[in-house]
Amino acid sequence: MTGGPGRQVLHQDALPWLAAHPAWPGASLLTSLPDVSEAGLPPASWPAFFAEAARLCLLAVPDDGVAVFFQTDNRHEGRQVSKAAMVLAAAAALDLPLVWHQVVLRRPPGTKTMGRPGYSHLLAFSRRATLPVEQRGPDVLPDLGEVDWSHGMGRAAAAQAVAQIRRASPSTTLLLAPFCGLGVALSAANEAGLEALGIERNRKRAEKARGPA
Ligand SMILES: C[S@@+](CC[C@H](N)C(=O)[O-])C[C@H]1O[C@@H](n2cnc3c(N)ncnc32)[C@H](O)[C@@H]1O
């Protein structure tokens, strides 16, 4: 035991947990909602699943907390799918303001990426938290940082998101990370002095996310 902030990872479906725990006191949230290939659902069910996951994540934080989504658009059945637009639609349905929006480069500018976008979006929503522009990082983050897997959030992007959450929401003591994968968001939270709670349905990933990495 180091005595620093801790983390817990629940190995379960995140949706019922989120539905049962709205407006968790002291929480902000950082997540990367599953794409169709990670959701384990028939493709036709995925848009409704995604919209419901986004809605529950937005409702999981109290009014002074921040919910941040790291989303990479993709291609599905020959069409471009904007997960960022889907998250924005879920927030608009709840009348939740967008507090900041950054683009994170996954590839150097000018790289031809053959349909898989060379960028990801960081979208932050809150009912009451705000962040003056002079306290924000750059609109375009030049580098994801180290990634543990192809769909990963990247350590630099996660650290930047957590730093901005802390500035915008000083009352935050816990970072919720539903769909936490290998736990990059949990590590970023612990390194910034926040407690962390991850939820991951894949057993092996949940076990790895419990580790210090
Ligand atoms: C986009 S990945 C997260 C990647 C993570 N941001 C990272 O950088 O390591 C989405 C994760 O959601 C998990 N997942 C999919 N459906 C889930 C569900 N219903 N409940 C909890 N986890 C789920 C997948 O197993 C996958 O690890």
Side-chain angles (χ1 to χ4, degrees), residues 50-55 58 85-96 125:
F50 189 98
E52 180 61 358
R55 188 182 77 85
L58 290 162
M86 294 168 81
V87 171
L88 285 161
L94 295 171
D95 196 25
L96 265 175
F125 303 90

Side-chain angles (χ1 to χ4, degrees), residues 17 47 52 74 82 90 114 117 127-128 132-134 148 152 175 209:
W17 190 94
E52 180 61 358
N74 65 357
S82 175
M114 308 302 285
R127 183 82 54 206
R128 284 218 306 262
V133 282
E134 60 276 13
D148 294 334
L175 190 82

Side-chain angles (χ1 to χ4, degrees), residues 4 27 34 36 43 58 78 101 103 132 171 174 177 185 212-213:
V36 65
L58 290 162
H101 180 188
V103 172
S171 57
L174 170 81

Side-chain angles (χ1 to χ4, degrees), residues 12-14 32 34 38 149 152-153 179 181-182 200-202 205:
Q12 65 174 84
D13 185 342
S32 183
E38 300 160 332
W149 63 335
M153 189 178 298
F179 314 97
L182 298 173
E200 170 57 52
R201 196 186 55 180
N202 178 288
R205 286 184 207 141

Side-chain angles (χ1 to χ4, degrees), residues 104-113 116-120 141-144 147 150:
V104 186
L105 298 186
R106 308 184 69 86
R107 301 277 181 272
T111 306
K112 191 155 166 49
T113 56
R116 180 159 175 85
Y119 55 85
S120 300
L141 302 181
D143 186 13
L144 274 178
V147 280
S150 60

